[in-house]
Amino acid sequence: MNTIETWRSARTRKDLRLAPGETVLGGGTWLFSEPQVNTTGLVDLGTMGWPSIEDTPDGLRIGATCTVAELSRIRRREGWTAHPIFFQSASALLASFKIWNMMTVGGNICRSYAAAAMVSLATALDATALIWTADGGAYTVPVADIPTGNGTNSLGDGDVLRCIDIPAHALRARTAFRKIALVEIGRSGAVLTGRLDESGAAVFSITAATLRPVVLRYDGLPSSVRLRKDVLDAEGYYTDPMGTADWRRAVSAVLLDEILEELLTWS
């Protein structure tokens, strides 16, 4: 990156007002992976001092600068039946320990690739994102609604993801997880999750196989026939070197049926 002329350490929200050519820096694992020809300045979020993981009255808050390594080691609290999905989602990245220790949860979400594992985690657990806007405002949005395509999102210029919040009811739920890729060590072709809440409601999500997350909600566990139909009818399956759209649709149906069978053992 030979275009960088300035580097600023952000310590207050005022420091996040970007000058022309500036961009925010989280872990930098994507940012430094290819030329950023239009970027002349970096604003480091690591100096904001955001806590990585916080317990809240409503559940769990994960700071945007929390690394994947920190997330993977998150301590289980009493009643957290969904706890295994944190490590499962982190492992879906198949990244080296160097990447795990630098990549941030917020950066992975904001980059919004279809195979973003932190989007898979957040979607599975109904996480919402707190977004700070460039004009000093803020808004909350479901993380599942942030990606709009493979590498595109709904965030405005100068928006910064502050944290994601996971509700307590999702942390107490039973979860199941499946991932498939064309090669053993390769980018996810499909990541599927299922969740059975204490209320009996069920949530299934499709990520990596579709350009943006697909979330299927039911009042109770659906029949295998209904779930399969809903999965096959879902929109957004795409083709790239990691798999064809038809393959992604087919494996999503098979793996979500496996997840349904797993959740049925807990119902």
Side-chain angles (χ1 to χ4, degrees):
M1 293 177 64
N2 59 2
T3 59
I4 303 302
E5 300 172 355
T6 62
W7 180 304
R8 293 194 290 114
S9 297
R11 291 184 171 82
T12 68
R13 187 167 178 182
K14 183 178 179 180
D15 295 331
L16 299 180
R17 296 175 184 171
L18 302 180
E22 285 187 326
T23 192
V24 295
L25 168 68
T29 55
W30 173 80
L31 193 66
F32 292 122
S33 70
E34 59 185 55
Q36 309 293 333
V37 295
N38 296 318
T39 300
T40 58
L42 299 176
V43 180
D44 191 351
L45 295 177
T47 47
M48 287 293 290
W50 295 336
S52 293
I53 297 168
E54 300 175 90
D55 291 296
T56 71
D58 299 317
L60 184 74
R61 170 165 287 191
I62 301 171
T65 50
C66 175
T67 66
V68 172
E70 289 175 295
L71 186 80
S72 71
R73 298 190 298 266
I74 192 168
R75 178 177 56 84
R76 180 173 186 165
R77 278 69 158 173
E78 183 177 356
W80 279 25
T81 312
H83 181 261
I85 203 169
F86 288 95
F87 185 79
Q88 290 168 331
S89 297
S91 298
L93 288 165
L94 288 177
S96 72
F97 73 92
K98 293 179 289 185
I99 298 298
W100 267 37
N101 280 280
M102 292 300 296
M103 178 185 289
T104 62
V105 173
N108 190 247
I109 291 172
C110 291
R111 192 64 198 90
S112 299
Y113 282 131
M118 297 298 99
V119 172
S120 300
L121 170 69
T123 299
L125 297 179
D126 282 348
T128 58
L130 174 60
I131 308 296
W132 285 355
T133 59
D135 61 3
Y139 66 94
T140 301
V141 61
V143 173
D145 292 343
I146 292 178
T148 57
N150 191 8
T152 61
N153 59 52
S154 61
L155 302 178
D157 290 341
D159 284 359
V160 174
L161 192 159
R162 165 62 184 86
C163 58
I164 65 172
D165 290 297
I166 299 174
H169 76 269
L171 294 166
R172 295 193 301 267
R174 298 285 182 181
T175 59
F177 179 95
R178 296 290 189 279
K179 175 209 162 164
I180 192 170
L182 286 179
V183 294
E184 184 176 357
I185 301 179
R187 197 176 73 205
S188 301
V191 174
L192 300 311
T193 62
R195 196 181 83 232
L196 178 61
D197 290 345
E198 292 175 319
S199 66
V203 181
F204 298 86
S205 65
I206 307 168
T207 52
T210 49
L211 291 171
R212 55 175 301 172
V214 171
V215 183
L216 305 172
R217 298 182 184 276
Y218 305 92
D219 292 336
L221 287 172
S223 68
S224 178
V225 172
R226 181 183 177 187
L227 179 61
R228 179 177 176 81
K229 182 181 185 304
D230 290 345
V231 174
L232 295 179
D233 289 345
E235 298 181 351
Y237 296 105
Y238 67 103
T239 296
D240 73 354
M242 299 299 108
T244 65
D246 286 344
W247 174 78
R248 286 185 156 105
R249 180 181 286 107
V251 297
S252 294
V254 170
L255 295 178
L256 276 176
D257 190 58
E258 289 183 8
I259 285 175
L260 174 61
E261 289 297 317
E262 185 175 333
L263 293 178
L264 279 168
T265 65
W266 298 104
S267 63

